[in-house]
């Protein structure tokens, strides 16, 4: 599986630890930064990773910031993305099994390296078996309706009076 990973500066050290762990697995890793402890805005990294998923350049992703909340919110603003905050093994498994989440997010200031690696391992070792498919389909349908309505409004506003 091709896995994207990205963080802001608050998540840099944890991202590097997860990268080291993943380098010993069969997964192909794409690192979207950041590449140091210098300040980086988490939405920039989250959008880049989300776009890569949308374009099918990667299969799944791990995003990290201080709490995991900011990158989760940012990733979920990208159309078609389902990101889930996971700080324990059960949540990581359910993110994939129940919700087909393409992204899990972690808070570097919330969980330690050992737990984070177990969470990532749990997330990557399960596949969506269409659990809660009806609910996931509803999310997608509502998102598509919202986007269609928004596109209609933009098109209507662009016509000359």
């Amino acid at each position: 599986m091709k896995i994207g990973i990205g963080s802001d500066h608050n998540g840099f050290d944890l991202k590097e630890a997860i990268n080291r762990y993943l380098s010993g697995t069969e997964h192909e890793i794409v690192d979207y930064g950041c590449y140091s402890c210098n300040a980086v805005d988490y939405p920039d990294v989250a959008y880049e990773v989300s776009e890569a998923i949308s374009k099918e350049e990667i299969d799944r992703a791990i995003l990290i910031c201080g709490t995991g909340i900011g990158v989760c919110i940012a990733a979920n603003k990208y159309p078609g993305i389902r990101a889930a905050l996971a700080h324990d093994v059960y949540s990581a498994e359910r993110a994939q099994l129940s919700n087909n989440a393409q992204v899990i997010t972690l808070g570097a200031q919330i969980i330690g390296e050992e737990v984070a690696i177990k969470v990532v391992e749990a997330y990557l070792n399960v596949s969506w078996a269409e659990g809660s498919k009806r609910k996931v389909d509803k999310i997608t349908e509502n998102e598509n309706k919202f986007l269609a309505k928004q596109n209609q409004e933009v098109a209507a506003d662009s016509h000359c009076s």
Side-chain angles (χ1 to χ4, degrees), residues 59-113:
D59 301 304
R60 293 195 208 167
I62 302 151
L63 287 171
I64 308 159
C65 67
T67 63
I69 297 168
V71 287
C72 190
I73 292 169
N76 278 314
K77 292 294 183 180
Y78 199 95
I81 297 300
R82 290 175 304 282
L85 178 64
H87 287 146
D88 59 81
V89 168
Y90 183 74
S91 296
E93 290 173 343
R94 296 320 309 175
Q96 183 53 220
L97 291 171
S98 294
N99 301 293
N100 196 20
Q102 308 105 315
V103 180
I104 61 164
T105 68
L106 307 170
Q109 297 167 346
I110 307 298
I111 63 173
E113 182 179 320

Side-chain angles (χ1 to χ4, degrees), residues 7-148:
S7 73
D8 69 358
H9 54 286
N10 290 311
F12 173 73
D13 290 334
L14 184 57
K15 178 184 72 83
E16 292 301 298
I18 293 170
N19 262 336
R20 286 190 297 276
Y21 163 73
L22 290 173
S23 70
T25 69
E26 72 279 0
H27 302 294
E28 181 182 346
I29 311 308
V30 180
D31 190 335
Y32 290 89
C34 70
Y35 305 107
S36 73
C37 290
N38 294 331
V40 171
D41 293 337
Y42 63 78
D44 298 335
V45 177
Y47 296 151
E48 186 176 359
V49 168
S50 297
E51 184 171 14
I53 289 173
S54 180
K55 291 181 176 180
E56 299 181 356
E57 297 169 353
I58 56 177
D59 301 304
R60 293 195 208 167
I62 302 151
L63 287 171
I64 308 159
C65 67
T67 63
I69 297 168
V71 287
C72 190
I73 292 169
N76 278 314
K77 292 294 183 180
Y78 199 95
I81 297 300
R82 290 175 304 282
L85 178 64
H87 287 146
D88 59 81
V89 168
Y90 183 74
S91 296
E93 290 173 343
R94 296 320 309 175
Q96 183 53 220
L97 291 171
S98 294
N99 301 293
N100 196 20
Q102 308 105 315
V103 180
I104 61 164
T105 68
L106 307 170
Q109 297 167 346
I110 307 298
I111 63 173
E113 182 179 320
E114 187 177 326
V115 172
I117 288 170
K118 288 179 182 179
V119 167
V120 166
E121 188 176 52
Y123 171 68
L124 297 177
N125 284 333
V126 294
S127 296
W128 192 45
E130 297 194 9
S132 300
K133 182 179 180 342
R134 177 177 50 81
K135 296 171 189 172
V136 173
D137 287 348
K138 281 185 177 184
I139 293 168
T140 302
E141 288 169 20
N142 284 323
E143 180 179 46
N144 289 338
K145 285 178 190 175
F146 173 79
L147 291 171

